[in-house]
Amino acid sequence: MLINLSNHPLKVWKAEQRKAASKYGEIIDMEFPYVDPQGDENYIEVLAKGCVTRILAKKPKGETIIVHIMGEMTLTYA
């Protein structure tokens, strides 16, 4: 399974990109959250933990997932 955590949904990907990503199995879009530019380190940590929780909720038991992350860099890094 591949989770696309970005604001670039699968439907706008080029056929080549979809084909390459399909080697991981099902592809699920997950919207990258808005990141307040005034947010501090704790704010980013809470957002990151929320993303991890949402991702793990999609993970089928016993399967490996791949996450494509594309968005605001402090949250992407966290």
Side-chain angles (χ1 to χ4, degrees), residues 1 9 16 20 25-27 29-32 36 43 45 47 54 61-62 64 67 70 72 74 77:
M1 170 186 286
E16 273 181 80
E26 180 183 10
I27 303 168
D29 284 326
M30 188 176 288
E31 189 174 342
F32 195 90
D36 183 343
Y43 168 81
E45 183 178 343
L47 274 180
R54 289 175 36 221
K61 195 172 203 167
T64 299
V67 182
M70 188 172 173
E72 196 280 330
T74 58
Y77 179 79

Side-chain angles (χ1 to χ4, degrees), residues 35 44 71-78:
V35 178
I44 295 297
E72 196 280 330
M73 295 306 295
T74 58
L75 181 55
T76 297
Y77 179 79

Side-chain angles (χ1 to χ4, degrees), residues 8-20:
H8 304 277
L10 181 62
K11 68 182 178 184
V12 300
W13 289 14
K14 293 181 180 181
E16 273 181 80
Q17 291 171 303
R18 287 192 302 271
K19 183 179 178 185

